Amino acid sequence: MKHTVLSFLLSLLTLLTAAAQTYSIKGRVLDRLTGESLPGATVQVTGNGVNTGAGADPEGNYQVPGLKPGTYVVRASFIGYKLLEQRVTVGNQNAVATFRLASDNATLNEVQVIASVAVERETPVAYAAVNEVKLRETLAARDLPMILNETPGVYATQGGGGTGDSRINVRGFDQRNVAVMVNGVPVNDMETGQVYWSNWDLGDVTKSLQVQRGLSAAKIAVPSVGGTINVLTKGFDDKRSALARLETGSNNYRKASLMLSSGNLPGDWAFTFYGSRRTSDGWVQQAFDDAWTYFGNASKRIGSHRLSLTALGSPQKHGTRSFQSLVGLYSDKKAQEIGAKPIIGGNRGFDYNPYWGTLRRYDRDPETRTVSNMGKQEELNERSNYYHKPQINFNDFWQVNDRLFVTGVVYASFGNGGGVTGLTSSNSSTINARDYQTDFQGIYDFNVRNRDVASILVEPVDPNNPNGPQRRDTTFSAESRSTQFLVNNVNSHRWYGFVLGGDYTLRENLTLSAGVDGRLYRGLHYRQVRDLLGGDYVLNINNRNEDPATRLREGDKLSYNYDGKTQWLGGYTQLEYKTPALSAVVSGTLSRIRYKRIDYFKARQVTVNGQQYDVGFNQTQTIDGQTYTAADGQVAETDWASYLGYSVKAGANYNLTEHNNLFANVGYNSKVPFFNLVYTNQGRLYSNVKPEGITSVELGYGISYPSMKATLNAYYTLWANKTTNSVSTSTGEVIYNTVRNVNAQHMGIEMSVAQEISRSLQLNAAIALGDWRWTGKGVLNQTNEAGDPINPNDPELPVYLDGVHVGDAAQNQFQLGLRYEPLKRLYVRPSFLLFSKYFASFNPETIVSESSRTDSYRLPTSYNLDFHMGYDLQPLHQGKVKVGFKASVLNVLNQFYFTDVSNRSSTNVVDPNLTQAFFNRGRTFTVGMFVEL
């Protein structure tokens, strides 16, 4: 009986204990697009008589405790995202619910459609994304591409070290062949494919940055051989806010910015405005930076239309270091490491920049040689950049009905500016042998004295003795002529375009997309006298429509003056099938591109009976008894050069389970050559210019859990009929080289892992192993400045590249990063990066025999460690005011390594004594704070 009573009491106690036991629902709130956390997201739990909730911490983690066993409705919400809910059952243990929220920012969400942003476990491409939280924590006053080095297959450097002079390379393809799009609008230069990152300071206004490697999801025809970079800026925020930031750091870096968002206003209006001011001395000598940035967005909903107007730009000027120098000029130690000899006057430091000097201006009387008006000593750049490229986009997103969605954008860009260089007969200013800087004082002294003799009067000293001693009285011209001076290489443009597309749901799982892309572009290219450096004039250079004796002043044009016109019309179509398990897509593009060059310095052209005749200044042409002068001619124009490009691609993603997926894609791109590969510098059409063919195949596997994400993919790309251009001066003569009909084979594997080890510790890693080689034999054409063949009897020389590694980027990569939160609202983020298998860039025209076929110099392995940290204060004034601090140390170990290597000598691609390079910056820091309300 006692045992029965005891058993009953124990059972009752167990039941009472179980009834009192409570559990938690925990998990993370993430961005569906990027997979990044959404700190501050709200999680609400209802059911079983409970209505409670919690907020997500800086890593997106949340926990709602005190829940009895049962079923609950859990809702996750975040400003700018669509609410998402799950039904969660709590048993006899804690439950886990992770939310991936889709953007509810109408403007941003719809821009993602235009930009063809990849979606996890749906889009069959390899991609990586960075959200604005990571941008804020790790960008650290760098150019936007630098943060992408943590992406497998990406190699980004700061080039010569000037602000905005970064370059990015994806899978061995330089940024001329990586499509960059800002809010769905292509921004690669229409004539060269280049991307000039100094044109925008977008780090503070970027909502999401996504890199699609290989065959991208972009619908319009873009130069995406290596991949596509999609930059999505802020649209509007649902919440009214103001955000101010202040930053400072090494090399006198200063930046202040302010962002204002109106939130949703009556009448469905919303506005976002941003402005910043940035200055710096630069980490490279005289690579100063001076920039303003503005950004504005206005959005309005009218019925089923969402209209959005965006304007952005960054008027800026900065010092540059245009060309690499011999390794020994930077460091004796680095020269010895690669087997190069020390250089007399070398070991000048890794920030060495030869393209600047000191100058003291003055006036000098040519007769008395008296110096007056001596000015203060100034520091002058021989190489710098100045530009302002405002871009305006007007978007219309129209939800016609439940099945049809139409997107349209018209845009305009007006680029004004160029680069400053020195001009002499050898196209570069003199380097002083005393300090290895540009000898501006020597140039000035020579120019000031360089006056022509006007007259020489010889007369006797004694008029009464004509046969006695003689006196010479020399009279000089009133003006001096500059032989070396500074010029502006102007590269302005006028660019108008539109993208119109529509998505139509044929049935529940099948969507048809189609659209058209049009562009009109006019590039304005000329050289302009900037600073005569003591002289009064320079004689006419290369303008055949003007007297050769014409004296040019500051602001006058010389050397070249031409416009490049591009007309582009393309279309695309895509068919997409999508179920929860399978996503498949097939698409194609077709584009017609036309180029024309208008040359204002070439002799004017007279057309008679369909034949064109050149008539320059003070020249005549007599044809069929009729005499023509330049006044009868027209500006020299080429005929339109027309090319047809197209692409086809197909891919599929299959979700094996809730956590595993496979994807594959294949495609072919017939790539139209850029303008500068169609015309020579003299405006002549290259012979046998053909579209280049790129074939690409990729396979991938993904794993996705709330606490872990991993991807593994392999790729193969064959670039057929590739064309490269270069200029060499090793013989003392300017020679233009064009290598055609060579193939490049790029293949490799890439892996990335993101692991949440605990609520306060996350790990991310990336590995890329590549093998990029030239295949086959090419053809070399060489011409002089007049456009005549260097070897008239054999104008096409063979180039032997088969098996030679592609240079200019590291083929192997390893990255490891951590984010650790030792205290609430305090984070630290170390990031380690290693690059290897880096072959120096080289000029293919140097390999003109089987015996000279060899790899260029292979550089030592490089590694770098960065460290970021930040702390957010407890919100003030009832949570309405947020204050935070951040700091970054780049290159913590102060290691110096090769980042950009070229061989401009055009004589030997393996001799380390001829290797010319740029190195990374030394240890630098930035600190900043923000206030948001």
Side-chain angles (χ1 to χ4, degrees):
M1 182 65 178
K2 292 181 180 180
H3 290 292
T4 303
V5 173
L6 181 61
S7 297
F8 174 77
L9 292 175
L10 288 174
S11 298
L12 181 61
L13 181 62
T14 301
L15 290 172
L16 291 173
T17 303
Q21 180 69 48
T22 60
Y23 302 93
S24 299
I25 297 178
K26 60 182 180 179
R28 296 186 70 191
V29 185
L30 307 173
D31 183 298
R32 180 172 179 263
L33 172 65
T34 66
E36 296 287 341
S37 61
L38 297 177
T42 299
V43 178
Q44 183 182 22
V45 176
T46 58
N48 284 356
V50 171
N51 187 350
T52 185
D57 65 18
E59 280 305 304
N61 298 301
Y62 75 90
Q63 182 172 7
V64 181
L67 302 176
K68 297 178 181 180
T71 300
Y72 298 87
V73 175
V74 185
R75 297 181 179 88
S77 62
F78 190 63
I79 294 173
Y81 289 81
K82 295 179 180 178
L83 183 145
L84 188 64
E85 68 176 41
Q86 298 182 34
R87 295 183 68 84
V88 178
T89 299
V90 176
N92 58 356
Q93 61 182 1
N94 295 331
V96 177
T98 295
F99 294 85
R100 298 181 182 274
L101 304 187
S103 171
D104 193 27
N105 181 329
T107 302
L108 177 67
N109 203 34
E110 289 148 346
V111 164
Q112 290 174 2
V113 175
I114 290 182
S116 302
V117 171
V119 178
E120 183 183 11
R121 292 171 56 86
E122 289 183 11
T123 310
V125 299
Y127 77 95
V130 181
N131 71 357
E132 62 179 314
V133 173
K134 186 174 181 178
L135 280 168
R136 288 185 188 182
E137 292 183 354
T138 64
L139 189 56
R142 294 175 291 175
D143 295 342
L144 202 57
M146 298 303 297
I147 201 173
L148 297 177
N149 265 327
E150 297 187 5
T151 301
V154 172
Y155 181 76
T157 81
Q158 291 192 304
T163 302
D165 291 341
S166 294
R167 69 181 183 96
I168 191 167
N169 188 298
V170 180
R171 291 181 174 175
F173 300 102
D174 64 33
Q175 62 187 16
R176 292 171 298 177
N177 300 292
V178 175
V180 179
M181 304 176 73
V182 177
N183 294 333
V185 173
V187 297
N188 294 75
D189 185 83
M190 288 286 288
E191 295 180 330
T192 67
Q194 278 288 5
V195 180
Y196 302 99
W197 297 98
S198 59
N199 291 340
W200 311 281
D201 181 15
L202 296 176
D204 289 338
V205 296
T206 296
K207 184 77 171 178
S208 174
L209 179 65
Q210 187 182 89
V211 182
Q212 299 174 14
R213 306 186 297 276
L215 287 174
S216 71
K219 297 174 182 177
I220 63 176
V222 285
S224 55
V225 181
T228 299
I229 298 174
N230 287 308
V231 182
L232 301 181
T233 63
K234 287 179 174 290
F236 68 90
D237 291 322
D238 293 336
K239 179 183 176 183
R240 182 179 303 175
S241 64
L243 175 63
R245 296 191 184 101
L246 290 175
E247 291 181 308
T248 187
S250 303
N251 309 304
N252 205 28
Y253 169 75
R254 303 286 187 274
K255 183 176 182 181
S257 65
L258 176 66
M259 182 181 297
L260 302 174
S261 297
S262 69
N264 278 329
L265 298 176
D268 249 343
W269 283 95
F271 301 92
T272 298
F273 299 105
Y274 169 85
S276 73
R277 177 81 168 103
R278 186 190 69 220
T279 60
S280 172
D281 294 339
W283 66 275
V284 169
Q285 297 172 5
Q286 290 299 113
F288 69 90
D289 174 37
D290 188 348
W292 296 84
T293 295
Y294 58 87
F295 170 87
N297 174 268
S299 179
K300 165 72 173 172
R301 187 184 298 277
I302 302 177
S304 57
H305 292 264
R306 166 67 74 176
L307 305 178
S308 175
L309 178 66
T310 303
L312 56 92
S314 294
Q316 59 81 34
K317 54 184 177 181
H318 70 275
T320 66
R321 183 171 57 168
S322 300
F323 300 114
Q324 294 95 327
S325 296
L326 295 172
V327 176
L329 282 174
Y330 301 108
S331 166
D332 288 342
K333 182 179 178 181
K334 286 297 178 183
Q336 292 169 1
E337 283 182 9
I338 65 172
K341 298 177 182 178
I343 295 176
I344 297 175
N347 204 36
R348 308 190 67 82
F350 295 102
D351 63 345
Y352 170 61
N353 178 12
Y355 302 111
W356 70 278
T358 59
L359 173 63
R360 191 184 296 271
R361 301 176 191 260
Y362 58 86
D363 295 330
R364 181 178 183 272
D365 188 292
E367 306 297 335
T368 65
R369 303 181 183 180
T370 302
V371 173
S372 61
N373 298 326
M374 180 70 72
K376 294 181 179 180
Q377 180 170 289
E378 61 182 279
E379 294 178 339
L380 192 63
N381 281 65
E382 191 234 340
R383 303 268 171 168
S384 59
N385 176 274
Y386 64 100
Y387 215 79
H388 181 202
K389 178 187 168 67
Q391 181 164 311
I392 303 171
N393 301 352
F394 180 73
N395 297 75
D396 181 11
F397 310 102
W398 182 20
Q399 188 69 57
V400 182
N401 52 47
D402 292 341
R403 304 181 69 179
L404 178 61
F405 176 62
V406 176
T407 62
V409 55
V410 293
Y411 59 91
S413 175
F414 310 96
N416 293 283
V420 179
T421 62
L423 187 66
T424 69
S425 58
S426 60
N427 200 31
S428 64
S429 294
T430 302
I431 303 298
N432 192 321
R434 295 188 303 274
D435 59 9
Y436 289 84
Q437 301 299 146
T438 303
D439 187 12
F440 281 117
Q441 195 64 60
I443 294 170
Y444 191 93
D445 293 343
F446 181 88
N447 288 343
V448 132
R449 293 166 171 76
N450 189 33
R451 299 174 185 264
D452 296 331
V453 175
S455 63
I456 301 177
L457 176 63
V458 180
E459 58 183 5
V461 174
D462 183 357
N464 297 320
N465 183 14
N467 296 320
Q470 302 293 305
R471 177 176 58 201
R472 295 172 62 91
D473 188 3
T474 304
T475 303
F476 295 92
S477 61
E479 296 185 314
S480 61
R481 180 170 62 88
S482 294
T483 58
Q484 300 179 73
F485 48 97
L486 295 179
V487 295
N488 294 325
N489 300 297
V490 176
N491 183 30
S492 300
H493 69 252
R494 306 292 179 263
W495 184 352
Y496 308 92
F498 71 91
V499 182
L500 178 64
D503 297 334
Y504 183 73
T505 303
L506 297 173
R507 56 175 186 262
E508 182 181 358
N509 299 323
L510 193 62
T511 301
L512 175 66
S513 303
V516 62
D517 164 34
R519 311 174 206 175
L520 291 176
Y521 180 95
R522 187 171 189 135
L524 315 175
H525 311 281
Y526 56 87
R527 185 168 278 168
Q528 180 184 53
V529 180
R530 178 184 180 91
D531 190 335
L532 288 168
L533 297 177
D536 297 302
Y537 69 94
V538 62
L539 292 177
N540 172 27
I541 300 177
N542 290 346
N543 187 352
R544 292 189 58 192
N545 298 309
E546 200 170 60
D547 187 344
T550 299
R551 295 187 174 188
L552 305 179
R553 316 289 179 173
E554 291 178 1
D556 289 339
K557 298 176 182 177
L558 74 165
S559 297
Y560 60 83
N561 182 14
Y562 72 92
D563 291 353
K565 298 179 70 174
T566 301
Q567 296 180 352
W568 177 300
L569 184 63
Y572 73 87
T573 184
Q574 174 178 291
L575 191 62
E576 183 177 17
Y577 175 78
K578 186 184 300 184
T579 68
L582 176 66
S583 299
V585 61
V586 59
S587 67
T589 68
L590 183 66
S591 55
R592 169 71 69 178
I593 295 92
R594 304 205 306 162
Y595 299 126
K596 177 189 282 286
R597 177 169 165 142
I598 305 169
D599 203 317
Y600 302 102
F601 275 13
K602 273 191 171 184
R604 289 183 172 267
Q605 294 180 338
V606 174
T607 303
V608 180
N609 299 324
Q611 181 72 31
Q612 289 184 336
Y613 301 88
D614 289 347
V615 186
F617 173 80
N618 209 24
Q619 293 180 337
T620 61
Q621 283 274 10
T622 301
I623 307 165
D624 296 335
Q626 178 71 38
T627 300
Y628 299 91
T629 67
D632 300 311
Q634 303 293 323
V635 173
E637 291 190 21
T638 65
D639 294 330
W640 285 101
S642 184
Y643 300 91
L644 184 67
Y646 65 91
S647 68
V648 291
K649 53 190 175 184
N653 176 85
Y654 183 69
N655 295 326
L656 300 169
T657 68
E658 182 183 355
H659 305 292
N660 299 269
N661 68 291
L662 288 171
F663 76 85
N665 62 56
V666 62
Y668 179 82
N669 181 8
S670 178
K671 179 178 175 292
V672 171
F674 292 116
F675 181 95
N676 68 325
L677 296 178
V678 172
Y679 297 104
T680 68
N681 283 5
Q682 296 76 34
R684 298 184 181 182
L685 190 69
Y686 280 112
S687 60
N688 283 329
V689 176
K690 303 175 183 177
E692 300 165 325
I694 298 97
T695 303
S696 185
V697 179
E698 184 165 11
L699 298 172
Y701 171 68
I703 301 174
S704 180
Y705 284 89
S707 61
M708 188 192 77
K709 291 174 63 176
T711 61
L712 175 66
N713 56 280
Y715 65 89
Y716 173 86
T717 302
L718 177 64
W719 189 340
N721 191 34
K722 187 175 182 179
T723 300
T724 61
N725 287 342
S726 64
V727 180
S728 59
T729 58
S730 58
T731 63
E733 178 184 11
V734 178
I735 299 175
Y736 297 93
N737 308 288
T738 301
V739 176
R740 298 181 288 104
N741 302 338
V742 295
N743 301 335
Q745 177 181 277
H746 295 236
M747 57 184 178
I749 58 174
E750 300 161 341
M751 183 177 70
S752 64
V753 177
Q755 172 73 54
E756 180 181 340
I757 299 173
S758 69
R759 291 186 58 193
S760 59
L761 180 62
Q762 294 84 41
L763 174 147
N764 62 285
I767 298 175
L769 303 175
D771 187 55
W772 314 328
R773 298 173 185 261
W774 298 95
T775 63
K777 185 170 65 175
V779 173
L780 168 65
N781 295 103
Q782 295 181 307
T783 60
N784 58 22
E785 286 199 282
D788 300 320
I790 298 297
N791 303 298
N793 296 327
D794 193 7
E796 293 194 346
L797 301 174
V799 177
Y800 299 90
L801 291 174
D802 191 46
V804 174
H805 281 94
V806 174
D808 199 34
Q811 302 194 16
N812 293 341
Q813 168 194 12
F814 173 76
Q815 184 271 334
L816 178 64
L818 295 173
R819 190 184 190 280
Y820 178 53
E821 192 174 337
L823 300 173
K824 190 174 183 179
R825 299 187 304 278
L826 171 67
Y827 71 86
V828 293
R829 295 187 77 144
S831 178
F832 178 79
L833 193 62
L834 182 146
F835 287 111
S836 67
K837 198 178 176 182
Y838 182 6
F839 294 91
S841 180
F842 65 94
N843 296 321
E845 67 270 11
T846 61
I847 307 180
V848 292
S849 66
E850 285 279 6
S851 61
S852 64
R853 184 175 64 194
T854 182
D855 278 328
S856 62
Y857 191 81
R858 180 168 175 169
L859 279 303
T861 295
S862 64
Y863 62 91
N864 181 76
L865 175 65
D866 295 333
F867 183 81
H868 313 277
M869 66 177 297
Y871 180 70
D872 293 341
L873 300 178
Q874 184 75 31
L876 308 175
H877 296 286
Q878 299 178 342
K880 295 180 180 180
V881 178
K882 298 179 181 178
V883 179
F885 302 88
K886 66 175 183 177
S888 295
V889 180
L890 303 177
N891 191 8
V892 174
L893 303 177
N894 203 32
Q895 293 290 313
F896 291 94
Y897 48 87
F898 295 88
T899 60
D900 303 79
V901 181
S902 72
N903 188 325
R904 294 191 295 123
S905 64
S906 300
T907 56
N908 194 316
V909 297
V910 295
D911 186 352
N913 289 294
L914 299 177
T915 298
Q916 302 177 30
F918 287 140
F919 288 82
N920 64 304
R921 69 168 72 182
R923 185 188 298 117
T924 56
F925 74 91
T926 59
V927 294
M929 69 170 293
F930 75 88
V931 178
E932 183 176 10
L933 50 89

